[in-house]
């Protein structure tokens, strides 16, 4: 299985870039990461884990990581529906909720949480 991780999280990039294909985009926000994942889905990739896993709301962290199976083939409509719903929900939260500014002391903790979610998803999908 060719696993692709799209992320804006430096910790996920550092931990997984040697093991899997990782596209690290430090300049992207959460919506841009989700849209990049949608581009891959249009090319045939499939989501392995739900992009909104972990009950972490989009306004609570600046980080987003999406794990996919990079395949070329037919469009997976379930993956497309899930990513579109995730984009819609993220847009809603970021538009209608007070946006936090994260100080440098909090960012490592938020990166760690996103990294733990990725570790859990990767453990499940590689069993």
């Amino acid at each position: 299985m060719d696993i692709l991780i799209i992320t804006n999280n430096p910790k996920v990039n550092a931990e997984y870039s040697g093991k899997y294909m990782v596209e690290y985009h430090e300049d992207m926000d959460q919506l841009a990461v989700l849209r990049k994942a949608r581009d891959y889905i249009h090319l045939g990739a499939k989501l392995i884990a739900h992009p909104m896993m972990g009950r972490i709301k989009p306004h609570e962290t600046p980080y987003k990581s999406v794990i996919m199976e990079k395949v070329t083939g037919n469009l997976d409509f379930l993956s497309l529906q899930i990513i579109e719903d995730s984009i819609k929900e993220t847009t809603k939260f970021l538009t209608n909720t007070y946006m936090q500014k994260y100080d440098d002391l909090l960012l490592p903790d938020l990166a760690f949480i996103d990294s733990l979610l990725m570790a859990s998803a990767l453990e499940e999908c590689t069993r």
Side-chain angles (χ1 to χ4, degrees):
M1 175 184 313
D2 287 334
I3 293 177
L4 170 65
I5 300 170
I6 303 168
T7 187
N8 65 352
N9 183 343
K11 185 165 182 60
V12 168
N13 181 48
E15 287 184 21
Y16 298 108
S17 62
K19 301 173 189 166
Y20 304 105
M21 290 181 285
V22 176
E23 275 195 25
Y24 174 56
H25 302 279
E26 67 180 324
D27 56 330
M28 285 187 174
D29 63 9
Q30 295 174 58
L31 276 171
V33 170
L34 291 171
R35 289 181 182 128
K36 186 71 159 173
R38 180 180 59 192
D39 291 345
Y40 276 103
I41 290 169
H42 281 282
L43 296 173
K46 297 179 182 182
L47 290 172
I48 292 176
H50 198 289
M52 304 293 282
M53 66 182 159
R55 301 186 65 138
I56 305 295
K57 304 285 189 289
H59 65 285
E60 296 172 339
T61 181
Y63 298 116
K64 175 60 68 185
S65 298
V66 179
I67 181 172
M68 312 174 79
E69 180 181 6
K70 188 175 181 184
V71 293
T72 53
N74 295 330
L75 178 64
D76 182 56
F77 288 102
L78 180 58
S79 291
L80 183 61
Q81 183 64 49
I82 291 169
I83 201 72
E84 290 292 352
D85 289 346
S86 298
I87 290 169
K88 181 179 175 184
E89 284 297 303
T90 299
T91 301
K92 179 181 79 172
F93 273 104
L94 295 179
T95 303
N96 298 326
T97 308
Y98 171 74
M99 291 296 297
Q100 294 183 359
K101 301 238 185 303
Y102 304 101
D103 63 31
D104 290 338
L105 295 175
L106 185 58
L107 288 175
D109 292 337
L110 296 172
F112 179 72
I113 291 168
D114 184 58
S115 176
L116 280 178
L117 291 171
M118 290 304 308
S120 176
L122 286 166
E123 183 179 324
E124 276 297 311
C125 76
T126 56
R127 283 186 185 179

